[in-house]
Amino acid sequence: MGYVVIVAEKPSQARAYADAFTVKKKEKNYIELAESKMFPQGAFITWAVGHLVELVEPKAYDKKWDRWSLKNLPILPERFEHKVSYKTREQFQTIKRLVERADVDVLINACDAEREGSNIFHSIIQLTKAKHKPMKRLWLSSLEVDEVRKAFHHLQDDARDKRMYHEAKTRQISDWLVGMNGSRLYTLLLQERGFGSYLPIGRVQSPTVYLIYERAQAIKNFVVETFYELEATFTAHSGIYKGKAKIKTTKREEVLALIKQHGLTNPDEGGVAR
């Protein structure tokens, strides 16, 4: 068995993994682990810094899509292509160099234990020459040393992880389609009516913005209304405490009826709070 390459999602996560083993060397973009029972030949831990790989812009498929025009909608590529993010290309090159090494036999996806972690790892590997190498999945929610060691001793098969990757990729592509088409469509239609800016549309962003709008409108249109509650002071063996009845109403008579129902007729011992 040769070297193992472990890909974490972020630097802090990679350092936590390294703390569970013996570190041989630390470099700018990766950590090398010494030989051990877990890694007989040693291992490299590197990290993704989030999404190193992203879907390309519409103009990469067809130059006509570089221009915003209603007649060029919808934007529906026959197949979706990916590129390395400009800001993180150095880190991508580090991962690529490590996973493509001839003496690396196994790759471990140690990104976050959820769909996006699967997406991040496999999207990177798909742009390397190492996509046919054996892969394992590290699945854990705690970065405590003992939990990390335990998880590395119980690595999961990659088949389930690939299914999660395809699920996350489908979501990512649907977001791209909604964003690229919706943003252009609504912006252009509004500009025909004098709108002078850009309106971004997103599968998550748009309903979230609407929820904020609804809340703002509720605050704006709020009307002060008197309501009534029933509160009393009780004396127990352990001391005095306040208690509140499970009633909150705009009708004073409902509270008074509750007081009468329970025989709380002494005005010195109880009352109605407004």
Side-chain angles (χ1 to χ4, degrees):
M1 181 178 177
Y3 281 98
V4 173
V5 172
I6 304 161
V7 181
E9 191 162 324
K10 53 188 81 72
S12 59
Q13 194 178 49
R15 290 192 293 269
Y17 295 154
D19 288 341
F21 304 99
T22 302
V23 174
K24 182 177 180 180
K25 182 171 59 175
K26 289 185 178 181
E27 297 291 348
K28 178 182 177 183
N29 298 319
Y30 70 91
I31 301 170
E32 184 175 355
L33 300 182
E35 298 175 4
S36 64
K37 186 179 293 186
M38 183 73 224
F39 308 112
Q41 298 300 319
F44 299 102
I45 302 178
T46 186
W47 47 89
V49 200
H51 288 272
L52 301 187
V53 175
E54 57 191 25
L55 291 166
V56 302
E57 295 292 314
K59 63 182 178 182
Y61 300 108
D62 194 320
K63 290 183 179 180
K64 73 178 182 181
W65 283 333
D66 189 27
R67 180 174 177 271
W68 285 39
S69 172
L70 289 174
K71 69 179 182 180
N72 290 333
L73 296 178
I75 298 172
L76 298 171
E78 291 184 6
R79 61 186 303 273
F80 289 88
E81 299 177 4
H82 299 77
K83 66 175 182 178
V84 178
S85 173
Y86 177 78
K87 294 180 180 179
T88 56
R89 62 191 184 283
E90 179 183 343
Q91 189 61 31
F92 173 83
Q93 289 301 324
T94 295
I95 297 176
K96 184 176 186 296
R97 177 168 54 83
L98 290 173
V99 300
E100 289 181 352
R101 283 177 52 146
D103 55 357
V104 168
D105 291 342
V106 177
L107 311 180
I108 297 177
N109 177 7
C111 295
D112 288 352
E114 36 83 29
R115 289 187 296 271
E116 280 309 309
S118 302
N119 188 16
I120 288 170
F121 172 81
H122 285 287
S123 293
I124 294 170
I125 301 304
Q126 288 299 309
L127 292 187
T128 72
K129 296 177 181 178
K131 55 187 176 182
H132 300 300
K133 289 188 176 183
M135 302 176 200
K136 294 290 183 178
R137 182 52 151 125
L138 180 75
W139 196 271
L140 78 167
S141 56
S142 171
L143 293 179
E144 295 295 327
V145 168
D146 290 342
E147 291 299 316
V148 170
R149 289 173 181 159
K150 182 179 178 181
F152 269 101
H153 277 92
H154 295 85
L155 293 170
Q156 297 185 8
D157 183 76
D158 187 56
R160 174 173 173 266
D161 196 48
K162 277 197 170 69
R163 291 195 296 271
M164 295 184 69
Y165 156 64
H166 289 302
E167 181 182 348
K169 183 60 65 181
T170 300
R171 192 274 313 154
Q172 185 181 19
I173 289 173
S174 69
D175 282 353
W176 189 94
L177 288 169
V178 171
M180 293 300 174
N181 287 285
S183 298
R184 296 186 183 209
L185 175 63
Y186 280 91
T187 296
L188 292 169
L189 290 176
L190 287 170
Q191 286 179 349
E192 289 180 353
R193 292 161 174 77
F195 183 66
S197 186
Y198 163 76
L199 182 66
I201 298 294
R203 178 182 60 88
V204 176
Q205 173 183 285
S206 297
T208 302
V209 170
Y210 184 67
L211 288 173
I212 295 172
Y213 165 78
E214 282 191 318
R215 183 59 178 167
Q217 288 298 105
I219 293 172
K220 178 182 177 182
N221 299 322
F222 176 73
V223 177
V224 177
E225 189 175 46
T226 300
F227 65 89
Y228 301 91
E229 294 181 306
L230 183 61
E231 185 179 272
T233 301
F234 298 86
T235 302
H237 291 296
S238 57
I240 298 174
Y241 68 94
K242 283 188 175 182
K244 184 180 291 186
K246 292 182 178 179
I247 183 172
K248 186 174 182 180
T249 177
T250 57
K251 298 178 180 179
R252 181 183 176 88
E253 58 270 21
E254 290 184 3
V255 179
L256 292 174
L258 187 62
I259 292 173
K260 184 177 181 180
Q261 177 185 340
H262 292 280
L264 303 176
T265 57
N266 192 329
D268 294 330
E269 296 181 3
V272 178
R274 185 175 69 176

